Amino acid sequence: MPSHEDIMAFVADNPGRAGKREIARHFGIVGGARIHLKKMLKDLSDEGFLEKRNKRMIRPGDLPPVFVANIVARDRDGELLGVPVDWDEDAGEPPKILILTGKTKTTQPGLGDRALIRLSDVEAGGEAEHAARVIKVLEKRQGAILGILRSRDGNRPPYLEPIDRKQRELDVDATDLKEAEDGDLVSVQVSRSGRYGHPRASVVERFGSLKSEKAVSEIALQSHGIRHVFPASVEAQAEAAKPVDKLGKREDWRQIPLITIDPPDAKDHDDAVYAEPDEDPQNDGGYIAYVAIADVAHYVTPGSAMDREAALRGNSVYFPDRVIPMLPERISNQLCSLREKEDKPALAVRMVFDKTGRKTGHTFHRVLMRSAAKLSYIQAQKAIDGTTDDKTETLLEGVLKPLWAAYAVLKKGRDAREPLELDLPERKIKLKEDGTVDSVYVPERLDAHKLIEEFMIQANVAAAETLERKKSPLLYRVHDASTPEKLESLKDFLSTISMKLPSSGGLRPSVFNGILAKVKDTPQANLVNEVVLRSQAQAEYAPHNIGHFGLNLRRYAHFTSPIRRYADLIVHRGLISALGLGKDGLPEGIESRLEAIGAEISAAERRAMLAERDTIDRLIALWMSEHIGATFRGRIAGVVKSGMFVRLEETGADGFVPASTIGADYYRYDEGSHALIGDKTGETYQLGDQVEVRLVEAAPFAGALTFELLSPGRIAGKRIRKAAPKARRGPPKGNRSTTSPKNKGRRRTS
């Protein structure tokens, strides 16, 4: 048997390529000795020397063989350097990668571009730690520069204050401002640059006041490099598409009363559901569930202009007042959307469950359907709770009650499976007509939401099972278990609130659920949920199955949202090919490209999430900027050497309290207890403590708030009594109306 050092050396020499099989083959380990190898690998993983990713062993901080990188600089020799887009901040600074370009246009990136790269054996040297070859340039740097138009006194020209602080201010041509005014967000193009002084630019587009959602989300689009304008070829292809108005070889499901349940202002309806009791006497108490999904594959064929653009976008991006769709509106909102009372093509699954919620069988069908009704979550829930309207009155007995009865059965299976049950309220922003913030609220989580989520999860599982059984190429949705480092950090945190995490053995979601159950309805509940979430790995797309830890599922794929996720479109094509449902299935040779596609769309998903989060943070910072000096209640949500982060109770907004402003004492950071402790007084501020703060500064560009701490700390578990400065109270609580903002924004499955 090799030593631990031998195994570590082999993994280091083969980053991202060393699985258990490869290690056994390299060291000639066969037969029963494989059991000892498995134990050695587990020991190395438990001790934090190795971690498992997509059936491969890597050292913590190592890079996968294929990933997406941002091209950020040049070295002394003028060679391009990149950093990985997806990098765990806990692992320190991202490594510099020497970018080896190709000869074609698609493999020659420039500064500011984003590219898909593959690690190379070429020695990097210099500033770079690794070398990698470009597979494909994903995003080219935008020529336009985004910033705030600022006027000057006298006859001096206006200037641009760039959003990117690394860029210089630019004089703007005053003769063509596109009606932009002082303080407006605009994009400019550099028109000429003199030998001395600032370059001069002209306004390309005006986005309006910085206080509007459109302007704020535009900042996120530009800063994260998200494509938001469809090429003319894509729009032309979408306009030329024809609706499916004939049955053809499709099954006729138009008599099944499938319904859509979405937010009230959703425009694209990509899933419809129906359920009925199983009449088979061998399945007493069982139910049959139907899930029909928009047949995007019929309109978006492999290699077409729409397909190439959708692959680059990866997914739709949802902001509080608009959507940046993956597909043109004619496809997403019209031809594919499962509109009420309209014939639409769909790919559907019929699933049979026994009375315990266990799925006993399923079949896939390519159909023509007609949605019986379009309902909102609130509308459907109210009907079940006893308040019907003209539409739900006719659906209550024959459609809604059977759906809820089926959900009760499926919930038994879910409860037995014990997936990770995090309770993290999602902030929503209600906007005024002018696009500015009206209020921030947390919408109620209804059984209607949970019903649709569980139906979608089961349909996703059925898709993965079918494709795996057919040995079809497949992009799984995978979620790895937590790394030893993150578990150790979680263990340290839990010890500060007198809770324990098992020190060894395979942790299951039920272990985390036990911790969450103990703090439910306590002041620490939100905080513990957040810390447990931080301890989890990120879900991603990959052709190699490692299961889905959070959902506690052995195989899982995304099938239910092809209008807004490219991964789902690949799964649809796989089902079409594997089941002989048409000629518009997977293209030949897709197997060799799936790893790269998975890396691309995983990176696109993270970009979208960051853009959405940044927009919400900036909008809240803008809203809060009108309340400088107001006081708020919150909890300490993070502690670092330089201070603490406080999350406000009413809005969920996060702000920072610098340690230097806390008081006359000098406060030291105690990592083990997640606290700041005064040197002289012992006064302590710890993660999870409830505090009162005053807002002293709001930086809307950065989405950052700065607070002054008003509450006393603790000494040996007791509050210090000291007078807090008086200040006016903050704005009243936000409108808790369940009116949904103009954002479909429903990430139903992990």
Side-chain angles (χ1 to χ4, degrees):
M1 295 295 293
S3 66
H4 283 189
E5 291 74 17
D6 292 335
I7 293 174
M8 289 288 294
F10 179 72
V11 171
D13 292 339
N14 297 272
R17 296 186 291 271
K20 185 174 70 174
R21 181 184 302 173
E22 288 74 21
I23 295 171
R25 185 184 298 124
H26 178 77
F27 291 106
I29 302 171
V30 296
R34 285 175 175 267
I35 298 174
H36 299 292
L37 174 63
K38 183 177 180 181
K39 184 179 184 303
M40 291 178 73
L41 294 177
K42 185 178 183 303
D43 290 343
L44 285 168
S45 179
D46 289 344
E47 293 168 13
F49 293 113
L50 292 178
E51 61 182 65
K52 192 175 181 182
R53 187 183 298 171
N54 293 340
K55 290 189 175 180
R56 298 290 188 268
M57 304 304 297
I58 65 170
R59 296 176 304 172
D62 275 356
L63 293 166
V66 176
F67 57 97
V68 179
N70 288 327
I71 314 303
V72 296
R74 290 186 183 275
D75 62 14
R76 297 175 196 169
D77 299 324
E79 299 291 345
L80 292 171
L81 297 174
V83 295
V85 169
D86 181 19
W87 181 255
D88 188 348
E89 295 177 0
D90 295 340
E93 288 294 317
K96 289 283 197 316
I97 302 143
L98 177 66
I99 303 299
L100 307 173
T101 60
K103 296 180 180 179
T104 64
K105 184 178 180 181
T106 58
T107 57
Q108 291 183 322
L111 273 177
D113 292 352
R114 181 176 284 119
L116 183 69
I117 61 177
R118 184 187 301 277
L119 285 179
S120 169
D121 294 332
V122 173
E123 186 175 344
E127 303 172 44
E129 300 173 41
H130 308 276
R133 294 198 177 277
V134 176
I135 298 173
K136 182 169 65 172
V137 176
L138 303 177
E139 297 281 351
K140 299 294 288 184
R141 180 182 54 187
Q142 301 293 321
I145 299 171
L146 200 66
I148 313 300
L149 185 69
R150 301 295 188 192
S151 59
R152 290 191 177 108
D153 295 334
N155 295 323
R156 299 171 65 199
Y159 70 96
L160 184 85
E161 180 184 336
I163 294 298
D164 185 350
R165 298 302 186 188
K166 296 177 183 177
Q167 294 177 327
R168 296 174 60 191
E169 292 180 355
L170 297 167
D171 288 339
V172 178
D173 186 353
T175 62
D176 186 15
L177 296 178
K178 301 291 190 298
E179 300 183 357
E181 300 175 353
D182 180 54
D184 280 354
L185 181 72
V186 296
S187 64
V188 303
Q189 194 78 39
V190 177
S191 54
R192 65 179 183 273
S193 179
R195 186 172 181 180
Y196 303 104
H198 296 307
R200 188 175 293 271
S202 57
V203 173
V204 176
E205 187 174 0
R206 170 183 177 267
F207 300 106
S209 168
L210 246 192
K211 294 184 178 181
S212 70
E213 189 278 342
K214 182 183 178 183
V216 173
S217 59
E218 192 67 32
I219 295 174
L221 292 175
Q222 295 285 349
S223 60
H224 292 285
I226 293 173
R227 299 171 71 90
H228 58 289
V229 177
F230 285 107
S233 59
V234 174
E235 293 283 13
Q237 190 175 45
E239 290 301 318
K242 304 296 183 185
V244 174
D245 52 9
K246 294 181 180 179
L247 191 61
K249 294 182 179 180
R250 296 177 182 273
E251 296 179 39
D252 193 347
W253 278 29
R254 287 174 290 186
Q255 301 309 312
I256 299 176
L258 292 147
I259 63 171
T260 62
I261 305 179
D262 293 297
D265 50 8
K267 294 179 181 178
D268 56 326
H269 308 281
D270 49 10
D271 56 78
V273 294
Y274 174 70
E276 61 185 3
D278 191 356
E279 296 180 357
D280 184 349
Q282 300 298 316
N283 191 25
D284 183 42
Y287 271 82
I288 302 173
Y290 300 81
V291 176
I293 305 298
D295 191 355
V296 176
H298 173 80
Y299 295 102
V300 184
T301 54
S304 65
M306 282 197 293
D307 181 51
R308 293 193 300 271
E309 182 68 17
L312 287 173
R313 295 186 177 217
N315 48 252
S316 298
V317 185
Y318 292 89
F319 295 120
D321 199 37
R322 62 170 168 159
V323 177
I324 307 301
M326 183 180 79
L327 298 169
E329 187 174 325
R330 175 164 167 74
I331 301 296
S332 60
N333 292 359
Q334 297 176 28
L335 295 180
C336 284
S337 185
L338 305 181
R339 293 178 168 187
E340 186 178 53
K341 308 297 184 186
E342 293 184 14
D343 290 357
K344 294 290 181 178
L347 194 59
V349 59
R350 177 185 183 273
M351 300 175 286
V352 181
F353 296 88
D354 66 18
K355 62 183 180 182
T356 68
R358 182 177 65 90
K359 182 165 64 66
T360 60
H362 68 266
T363 53
F364 281 90
H365 310 260
R366 209 168 190 186
V367 306
L368 192 66
M369 61 156 285
R370 181 184 295 140
S371 171
K374 177 185 77 169
L375 302 182
S376 70
Y377 289 114
I378 301 165
Q379 191 179 14
Q381 189 68 55
K382 282 185 175 180
I384 287 294
D385 293 341
T387 305
T388 57
D389 55 30
D390 291 343
K391 183 182 287 188
T392 56
E393 178 68 34
T394 61
L395 298 168
L396 184 60
E397 295 298 328
V399 178
L400 292 176
K401 284 188 176 179
L403 270 174
W404 256 257
Y407 168 59
V409 168
L410 267 63
K411 189 174 183 301
K412 291 179 183 178
R414 179 185 177 91
D415 292 344
R417 194 175 79 237
E418 292 191 274
L420 185 59
E421 299 283 5
L422 289 167
D423 181 17
L424 290 166
E426 183 182 4
R427 289 178 297 170
K428 292 286 186 181
I429 293 179
K430 183 181 178 184
L431 300 174
K432 300 175 184 176
E433 289 187 4
D434 62 358
T436 57
V437 176
D438 179 45
S439 62
V440 182
Y441 66 97
V442 177
E444 185 181 0
R445 175 93 163 138
L446 305 172
D447 280 344
H449 294 102
K450 298 174 186 177
L451 180 153
I452 294 297
E453 181 179 275
E454 191 58 29
F455 271 59
M456 298 304 114
I457 287 174
Q458 293 300 332
N460 288 335
V461 171
E465 289 175 347
T466 294
L467 290 174
E468 196 173 89
R469 187 171 63 249
K470 292 287 186 178
K471 302 188 184 314
S472 168
L474 169 61
L475 266 185
Y476 292 93
R477 178 66 166 177
V478 297
H479 181 220
D480 210 346
S482 304
T483 63
E485 293 82 8
K486 289 188 174 182
L487 288 176
E488 194 63 34
S489 178
L490 175 62
K491 190 187 302 181
D492 290 342
F493 162 72
L494 291 174
S495 68
T496 68
I497 55 174
S498 302
M499 297 184 73
K500 290 184 178 180
L501 188 71
S503 57
S504 63
L507 291 182
R508 299 176 66 85
S510 57
V511 174
F512 295 103
N513 289 341
I515 293 168
L516 299 175
K518 289 179 182 177
V519 298
K520 189 176 181 181
D521 299 324
T522 69
Q524 289 87 11
N526 283 349
L527 181 62
V528 174
N529 273 269
E530 179 99 17
V531 175
V532 169
L533 174 65
R534 291 178 191 172
S535 73
Q536 304 301 306
Q538 286 185 309
E540 58 187 1
Y541 297 103
H544 309 294
N545 185 30
I546 59 170
H548 196 295
F549 178 82
L551 292 175
N552 201 11
L553 292 167
R554 282 191 281 181
R555 53 190 64 82
Y556 190 67
H558 273 169
F559 158 75
T560 53
S561 295
I563 287 177
R564 62 189 182 93
R565 292 189 305 226
Y566 193 74
D568 303 54
L569 179 55
I570 290 177
V571 169
H572 275 233
R573 289 172 178 165
L575 289 166
I576 291 167
S577 295
L579 300 175
L581 299 177
K583 297 181 180 180
D584 42 5
L586 287 174
E588 290 185 10
I590 188 73
E591 297 92 336
S592 63
R593 307 204 313 270
L594 278 183
E595 186 174 25
I597 292 172
E600 288 179 49
I601 59 180
S602 295
E605 178 185 52
R606 290 183 176 84
R607 285 202 305 275
M609 292 173 67
L610 286 171
E612 292 166 7
R613 188 181 68 190
D614 287 355
T615 297
I616 289 176
D617 287 345
R618 287 188 176 109
L619 283 170
I620 290 178
L622 276 166
W623 183 55
M624 295 285 285
S625 66
E626 299 175 3
H627 305 289
I628 301 294
T631 62
F632 304 88
R633 289 188 179 89
R635 286 193 179 277
I636 298 175
V639 183
V640 292
K641 292 179 181 179
S642 56
M644 63 183 88
F645 295 93
V646 173
R647 177 160 301 156
L648 304 186
E649 291 178 353
E650 295 178 1
T651 63
D654 288 302
F656 189 67
V657 178
S660 59
T661 66
I662 294 178
D665 207 343
Y666 180 80
Y667 290 83
R668 295 187 183 277
Y669 173 54
D670 184 77
E671 185 176 2
S673 61
H674 294 263
L676 290 175
I677 303 173
D679 266 2
K680 298 177 181 177
T681 63
E683 185 178 25
T684 300
Y685 293 93
Q686 190 175 28
L687 192 69
D689 284 353
Q690 190 173 45
V691 292
E692 189 170 13
V693 294
R694 178 189 291 124
L695 178 63
V696 295
E697 184 181 358
F701 281 175
L705 304 172
T706 304
F707 295 133
E708 174 190 1
L709 190 64
L710 304 180
S711 299
R714 299 175 182 274
I715 292 183
K718 296 181 180 180
R719 281 285 188 192
I720 299 174
R721 291 188 177 183
K722 61 182 180 182
K726 293 182 179 180
R728 63 182 179 88
R729 284 282 171 192
K733 288 186 178 182
N735 183 357
R736 298 288 175 174
S737 163
T738 51
T739 303
S740 181
K742 296 178 181 178
N743 172 3
K744 186 175 182 184
R746 38 164 201 180
R747 286 201 166 83
R748 288 177 176 156
T749 53
S750 298

